[in-house]
Amino acid sequence: MFDGLLHEIEKAPIICVFRHLIPDADALGSQWGLVSWLRLKYPTKKIYAMGRHVGVKPEMFPAPDVVEDDTICDSLAIVLDTANSKRVDDQRYSLAKMIIQIDHHPLHETFGQKKYIFEHRAATCEIIAEFLESVVVKPLPKHIAEYLYMGLLTDTLKFSTNNTSAHTLRIAAYLAQSDLNFSKLNEEMFSVSSKEYKFSNYLRTNTIIEPCGLAYSFVTLEMMEEYGVSANDAKERITDFGGVRDFEVWALFIEHNENGRRFFNGSLRSKSIAVNDIAHQYRGGGHRNAAAVKECSKEEALIIIEKCCLRIKEAKHNDTV
Ligand SMILES: [Mn+2]
């Protein structure tokens, strides 16, 4: 399944590893898992972790490398966890001699010469761990296993999403052989600051609940300012809506300001209904039950809500006939 991947890695004297914008722990975990392993295995090669955005949990992942254009031109670029070319953090990936995509997103775009896309894998970290397991027999060094395990935890919401499989758990078991401290990793990944805790209270009280089973909330720049939370932290609180029996779909829209232009980026989640094709129509995409929309006006966001409501009603109707 990884035909030719090791060969390309062995051939390349320089390897630049990219991931998506606003990286989550799957993007960062797969990037740093792979980069750390490559550095250990090939000490004479030049291996770089690319990207300009700082993502979630900046204290848990090293800062990206600063790399010149010329270096990228001579390199093999490996792009992780990124469904479309526009979302690659640092568009200079396109300068590379050879581009390889490794990802688990459905509805992806092809922008590399080689691709290893496995839609049924729950996380890109699952794919990277599987690749490393196929080339390294013994347990991975602890820090590498930790990076990969963190991506598994986030993308599967602690092994609770639909795409968690026997394979995911087998890979988790492989990583666990590296003496992982599960409680410490969970605490580092999911504990919140008291500011975020208070912000969650705000969100819960200001959630709009549609009778069809859809819950949503808008978070304005002013709200984030008042509670002292960043857009990234605010976005993470989408998990507060999970685990409510009556919610089929839930959405959180976070306001951004780019050069005076204000718009909302939204996260859509569902229990079972597909939401990624709706997200796709609004400059976004993602997984069947976890997707994102970009740069929406409030009016557009409300249309998205309406479309999701319609879909819930259709699904309920199909269930009863
Ligand atoms: Mn992912």
Side-chain angles (χ1 to χ4, degrees):
M1 88 186 252
F2 295 107
D3 274 354
L5 179 57
L6 190 64
H7 178 69
E8 291 302 334
I9 288 174
E10 302 220 304
K11 255 186 6 193
I14 309 171
I15 303 174
C16 294
V17 182
F18 295 78
R19 39 78 186 155
H20 62 75
L21 296 166
I22 322 172
D24 55 14
D26 188 33
L28 290 165
S30 57
Q31 180 182 39
W32 283 104
L34 183 60
V35 163
S36 310
W37 181 77
L38 291 171
R39 284 180 180 163
L40 212 66
K41 166 93 177 161
Y42 306 104
T44 57
K45 288 186 196 291
K46 291 180 176 151
I47 314 287
Y48 300 106
M50 306 295 295
R52 291 182 167 142
H53 276 182
V54 181
V56 288
K57 314 279 172 198
E59 66 287 357
M60 298 182 66
F61 298 96
D65 297 306
V66 178
V67 183
E68 301 289 332
D69 292 6
D70 290 350
T71 309
I72 302 173
C73 291
D74 294 332
S75 75
L76 161 67
I78 300 181
V79 183
L80 301 171
D81 199 41
T82 312
N84 48 325
S85 55
K86 270 200 200 144
R87 286 209 78 212
V88 184
D89 187 0
D90 201 335
Q91 288 290 308
R92 295 179 300 158
Y93 80 93
S94 62
L95 301 174
K97 253 194 201 156
M98 160 105 191
I99 300 165
I100 293 180
Q101 285 173 265
I102 304 177
D103 190 19
H104 69 130
H105 287 88
L107 304 170
H108 58 269
E109 174 197 331
T110 298
F111 53 85
Q113 283 93 331
K114 278 202 170 162
K115 51 177 195 163
Y116 300 89
I117 314 263
F118 306 104
E119 291 180 17
H120 297 295
R121 294 296 181 243
T124 299
C125 281
E126 183 177 342
I127 301 171
I128 295 298
E130 195 175 358
F131 168 63
L132 296 184
E133 191 190 23
S134 72
V135 291
V136 194
V137 182
K138 54 184 189 222
L140 290 167
K142 187 172 178 173
H143 68 294
I144 296 176
E146 278 180 348
Y147 285 138
L148 296 172
Y149 191 80
M150 285 192 263
L152 273 191
L153 272 186
T154 357
D155 267 27
T156 63
L157 301 175
K158 309 178 199 174
F159 305 110
S160 67
T161 54
N162 278 340
N163 55 5
T164 307
S165 65
H167 184 272
T168 316
L169 297 177
R170 199 186 62 68
I171 289 295
Y174 165 61
L175 297 174
Q177 292 170 25
S178 306
D179 193 27
L180 298 186
N181 183 336
F182 297 121
S183 63
K184 184 178 139 266
L185 285 171
N186 270 283
E187 151 119 37
E188 281 175 355
M189 291 300 300
F190 301 109
S191 63
V192 297
S193 66
S194 56
K195 277 180 189 168
E196 288 168 276
Y197 177 79
K198 283 180 189 152
F199 176 72
S200 284
N201 288 349
Y202 163 80
L203 261 190
R204 281 169 189 252
T205 32
N206 288 280
T207 301
I208 298 159
I209 302 171
E210 298 286 351
C212 65
L214 187 145
Y216 67 98
S217 197
F218 285 93
V219 178
T220 60
L221 292 165
E222 290 77 17
M223 253 20 267
M224 288 184 274
E225 167 111 59
E226 187 181 330
Y227 283 87
V229 295
S230 67
N232 248 341
D233 293 339
K235 184 182 147 197
E236 293 286 302
R237 306 278 27 100
I238 181 78
T239 51
D240 292 350
F241 296 73
V244 179
R245 209 167 287 140
D246 327 350
F247 297 172
E248 287 300 327
V249 174
W250 51 104
L252 181 58
F253 296 93
I254 310 286
E255 194 174 31
H256 291 257
N257 181 345
E258 253 176 44
N259 309 318
R261 191 170 61 90
R262 292 172 74 142
F263 56 82
F264 290 92
N265 287 346
S267 305
L268 304 178
R269 299 286 183 274
S270 73
K271 279 200 183 116
S272 59
I273 288 163
V275 288
N276 56 343
D277 57 322
I278 295 176
H280 208 65
Q281 299 163 23
Y282 295 88
R283 300 165 290 282
H287 306 283
R288 182 184 165 88
N289 308 120
V293 295
K294 301 271 167 246
E295 304 195 16
C296 296
S297 63
K298 185 145 190 187
E299 291 68 35
E300 274 180 318
L302 291 169
I303 295 170
I304 294 167
I305 293 296
E306 229 169 85
K307 286 188 177 176
C308 291
C309 267
L310 204 67
R311 186 146 302 172
I312 298 171
K313 285 176 194 158
E314 280 167 10
K316 283 184 179 162
H317 177 78
N318 291 339
D319 274 352
T320 49
V321 288

